[in-house]
């Protein structure tokens, strides 16, 4: 039996701390850039009369969702049912699960959540609808179901009009379910490098969604909602004439991978999310080792970049479990001797914000050089 | 202000549940295989009279550490100071930090922890030693320091004998520090594919460590501890004559990447760690979509494998944020129609256990077909 030592990890930062004193690794959020991104996306959606339902899987934080709602968002998207809980608990009561769910434990969660929130869920198989219908009926609640149509991604969602009609008709069998429109998302085109490629691909995908809408309309079924789109295509989706609602997530942070896209339109977002890191070993010629590795940054979409201006001689070249390798560029004036960089602090731009944020428990929010807020990543790790 | 709804994510499993009913994704631990691995490694170390100090960064769980200590381990290794806290809090008081630390917040943590545990820390720069010495002196405690020598990895650790002597002499300046021996680890050779390659590389690395030991001995400095080694080389390290202590971590789980090594010796470990997943969409011909993606499994060392025997027609071929793509093998009898697999449950063998375990909050431990225990991953997310 362990005695109670009251021994807990000290906080990485306190409000009012200088940014330079925040313990590393920490996920830090530049509030000026963050607010710019929030306002820019809200203005884009409002200018086109399109509902904005930001994807909370990107940030997993009720504080960020609250900021999005305050700027006019109609609600949020989640990707997993367990992820929905903290948002409902914090008073966000309009949530779209942009995903299919299967299994008895999931049905129990959906029915419980639907008693406290306007919950919509996707389906691409009649068995999912049957299970949701039964669970909602048993719980005495109602769940909105949006069939998912595949507009090019080739992952979830039905492709054919007959398949779609079968789903819509199945929903109608259940008084405990309500047909809510269509989910239509193509993740693969979000990261196309050039603005023209993204525009053309977004238009092709939107046309596929429009074909489904017309097919249903011809059968007397109106789609009050067509929801989809992401940060990479949102500027085209809002003009498509088919989407009534868009679901961008990464726009609040503008991660490294999105940042490497060409942005030709008016939607010029700013990097707001960084990982504060410290050089903790300089024993090797030509390289420095920092304290951010695989457990501090997701590398699936490329390695993090050192924020320009921090130390332009260093380039992040490899991630071990808890170490990041920073190589010194050829021709650097120090000729490879990095020993005086021990303790140097850098900001890293993560390649992919969604799985990176999921590694942390809080955003250390700063303005200028000062910590202004600490926001919980309430849904970190909630992947069920 | 949100009202209190008492709305919390229901547990994925309860003790006594059938394994088939555990909510997915969940990290599940086969206790028979786990106990076999624990006992096998303890027996190997004991047979050679070598201290076993398992690396807790692999599992981040005080329950697993307790099982390791019960089998004879002398203590554990951690990789980050914040990671040390839960282990000390649970009564584990002999902890080696196999890593360098830099920064005022880290010094405060080290000094606080050293008041409650026998804490040793690595160093490869005199400035790290100066900071530790000052912090320990101010706190009125004592920290053991192990200079790290680079035995081939080329990451942290000094290479030359003079550099090593400078560190040893620097430690001696501080009454608040104690020279504890050498840290010598080569991560790069742990995963060499063949047993012969690993043996030869381990012997070369051990010889580098031995050169440092002899150099210090010639100057009258005894190394009471030479600690290092990992799951991939431990069977050679225990026979090296230089290591007094070994630090394997992954052996408790035997992840996919280690499992793909050729194991020619007597140390035949078993896969004990799996991710339970459910097929949640089957709308596409020739593929199924499961509920484990990048937020449920680390893919840095390769994609997860479907456990042989579960559904040998399916192969995990891509990880999206929250979706896993399972392609059906050519020539499968179903001819690509996967619709009847909706709801099918599979076990995945993660490619790399360390960063995968860090994504979860608990191990659902089972024996046979029944959940026997739920173990917290107490140090999940603690990367400071």
């Amino acid at each position: 039996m362990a005695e109670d030592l009251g021994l807990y990890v000290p906080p990485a930062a306190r409000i009012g701390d200088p940014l330079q004193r925040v313990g590393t690794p920490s996920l830090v959020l530049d509030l000026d850039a963050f607010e710019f991104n929030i306002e820019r996306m809200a203005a884009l959606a409002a200018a086109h009369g399109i509902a904005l339902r930001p994807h909370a899987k990107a940030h997993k934080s009720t504080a960020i969702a609250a900021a999005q709602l305050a700027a006019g968002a109609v609600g949020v998207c989640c990707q997993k049912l367990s992820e929905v809980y903290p948002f409902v608990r914090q008073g966000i009561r309009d949530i779209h699960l942009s995903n299919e769910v299967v299994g008895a434990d999931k049905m129990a969660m959906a029915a419980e959540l639907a008693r406290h929130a306007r919950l919509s869920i996707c389906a691409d198989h009649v068995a999912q609808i049957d299970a949701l219908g039964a669970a909602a009926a048993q719980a005495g609640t109602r769940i909105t179901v949006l069939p998912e149509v595949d507009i090019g991604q080739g992952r979830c969602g039905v492709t054919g009009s007959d398949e779609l009609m079968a789903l819509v008709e199945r929903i109608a069998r259940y008084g405990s379910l309500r047909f809510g429109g269509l989910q239509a998302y193509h993740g693969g085109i979000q990261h196309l490098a050039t603005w023209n490629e993204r525009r053309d691909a977004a238009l092709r995908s939107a046309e596929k969604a429009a074909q489904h809408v017309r097919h249903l309309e011809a059968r007397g079924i109106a789609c009050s909602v067509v929801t989809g789109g992401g940060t990479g295509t949102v500027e085209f989706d809002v003009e498509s004439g088919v989407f009534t609602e868009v679901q961008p997530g990464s726009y609040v942070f503008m991660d490294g991978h999105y940042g490497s896209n060409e942005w030709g339109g008016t939607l010029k977002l700013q990097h707001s999310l960084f990982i504060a890191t410290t050089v903790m070993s300089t024993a090797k010629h030509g390289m420095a080792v920092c304290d951010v590795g695989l457990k501090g940054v997701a590398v699936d979409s490329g390695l993090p970049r050192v924020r320009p201006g921090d130390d332009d001689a260093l380039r992040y070249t490899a991630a071990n479990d808890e170490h990041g390798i920073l190589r010194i560029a050829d021709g650097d004036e120090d000729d490879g001797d990095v020993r005086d960089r021990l303790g140097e602090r850098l900001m890293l731009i993560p390649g992919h914000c969604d799985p990176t944020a999921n590694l942390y428990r809080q955003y250390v929010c700063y303005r200028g050089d000062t910590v202004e807020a600490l926001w919980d990543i309430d849904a970190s790790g909630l992947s069920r």
Side-chain angles (χ1 to χ4, degrees), chain A residues 11-95:
Chain A
R14 293 185 174 83
I15 291 170
D17 277 355
L19 182 58
Q20 280 293 315
R21 214 193 289 156
V22 172
T24 67
S26 278
L27 204 53
V28 300
L29 186 63
D30 178 338
L31 287 173
D32 287 335
F34 167 79
E35 290 167 4
F36 175 89
N37 294 344
I38 293 270
E39 286 161 23
R40 191 67 203 84
M41 190 62 77
L44 177 74
H48 290 84
I50 302 292
L52 174 61
R53 184 184 291 278
H55 216 306
K57 81 180 181 69
H59 54 69
K60 286 181 168 273
S61 158
T62 58
I64 291 181
Q68 292 171 320
L69 267 70
V74 298
V76 297
C77 294
C78 288
Q79 198 74 330
K80 294 294 190 90
L81 279 165
S82 65
E83 196 176 63
V84 175
Y85 280 76
F87 295 95
V88 176
R89 210 160 53 229
Q90 287 299 313
I92 297 172
R93 302 292 164 82
D94 190 333
I95 299 184

